[in-house]
Amino acid sequence: MTRPTLVLLHGVGLDHTMWEPLAGPAADRFTVVAPDLPGHGGGAPVPEGTALADLARGAAAHIPAGSHVVGFSLGALVAQHLALHRPDLVATLTSVSSVCRRTPGERSAVLARLDAARADFPASAAASLRRWYADTGVDAERVERTGRTLLANDVDSFLRCYRVFATADAELGPELGRISVPALAVTGEDDPGSTPEMTHRLADAIPGCRAVVVPGARHMLPVQRPGALLDSLTDFIGDHAHV
């Protein structure tokens, strides 16, 4: 019997390696595909003016039809765009640690982080690590690997992709009600950016979307609590496909 395909889309400034804690165990149940988004990993930098549609187009080239698409942070926005514009690729949609319809205060905060990255990229990367991993108990070597991935980015390309992350939820917000595939929204209880409130906001916006908040988890949920996330994914996908 052919196993379902699980597609994992990473966050801004990261690459497919962020999924390692989840991808290994998931491979027992799924065929796992974890591409690097345009401008990330070993790919070429993205040009000025890159938009969400460009990142989604690049991701789509690696996604088999009928996949269970899981996006983290920026990857969640890419996954939502695909569910809207390439539903042939998306059997189910899971948004992990996703923003949704930011308020003016939330928009101001993320644009301030963009300005900080433009002014001092290494300091911004260090601040991200603190925001993502503080008091999580994640192994120091894994945190250091995340830091190395961030610092390996082409800075201009990172800033262009970060602007997409900072603004594209406004583009998606009015369209979320048109998503027709089964959907799940998951975040950590202690995520300061992709908050539980945002996850419930997303679940309210997408018809029939299920919301899950993982206790004690911060932003890097796939790294901090991969077992809890995989359990949620398997339960959700199991309701819509034989796993």
Side-chain angles (χ1 to χ4, degrees):
M1 182 179 64
T2 303
R3 289 182 295 179
T5 299
L6 187 70
V7 174
L8 306 174
L9 304 178
H10 61 79
V12 65
L14 302 174
D15 64 13
H16 69 279
T17 62
M18 68 150 287
W19 292 107
E20 288 173 352
L22 184 140
D28 292 337
R29 310 173 200 180
F30 301 95
T31 297
V32 177
V33 176
D36 289 335
L37 294 176
H40 293 79
V46 296
E48 184 65 39
T50 292
L52 182 61
D54 301 310
L55 301 183
R57 190 177 305 111
H62 303 281
I63 300 176
S67 295
H68 300 283
V69 179
V70 181
F72 167 79
S73 198
L74 170 63
L77 301 182
V78 173
Q80 291 158 26
H81 189 280
L82 290 168
L84 282 163
H85 299 284
R86 290 295 309 273
D88 57 305
L89 301 180
V90 185
T92 65
L93 165 68
T94 299
S95 301
V96 181
S97 306
S98 180
V99 298
C100 179
R101 294 178 174 172
R102 288 182 177 99
T103 65
E106 291 163 348
R107 180 87 56 216
S108 177
V110 73
L111 290 175
R113 292 198 292 274
L114 175 60
D115 288 341
R118 186 178 292 111
D120 189 337
F121 182 66
S124 172
S128 293
L129 294 179
R130 290 191 297 272
R131 190 169 63 252
W132 297 346
Y133 286 121
D135 302 317
T136 61
V138 171
D139 181 83
E141 195 277 334
R142 177 66 62 179
V143 177
E144 289 167 5
R145 285 184 65 186
T146 305
R148 290 195 296 271
T149 301
L150 283 172
L151 291 174
N153 279 283
D154 175 89
V155 175
D156 288 337
S157 186
F158 171 87
L159 294 172
R160 291 161 186 161
C161 291
Y162 200 95
R163 176 162 289 281
V164 174
F165 169 67
T167 60
D169 61 298
E171 167 192 338
L172 285 168
E175 305 297 320
L176 293 173
R178 296 198 299 107
I179 292 177
S180 58
V181 302
L184 170 68
V186 189
T187 201
E189 176 185 30
D190 300 326
D191 191 329
S194 305
T195 61
E197 180 185 0
M198 281 193 186
T199 282
H200 288 293
R201 205 180 292 166
L202 183 60
D204 288 342
I206 298 175
C209 184
R210 182 184 305 177
V212 173
V213 175
V214 178
R218 292 180 72 85
H219 187 62
M220 292 293 282
L221 178 59
V223 177
Q224 182 187 357
R225 297 286 302 281
L229 178 55
L230 183 56
D231 287 346
S232 293
L233 283 170
T234 303
D235 289 346
F236 166 63
I237 293 171
D239 289 342
H240 302 284
H242 184 66
V243 178

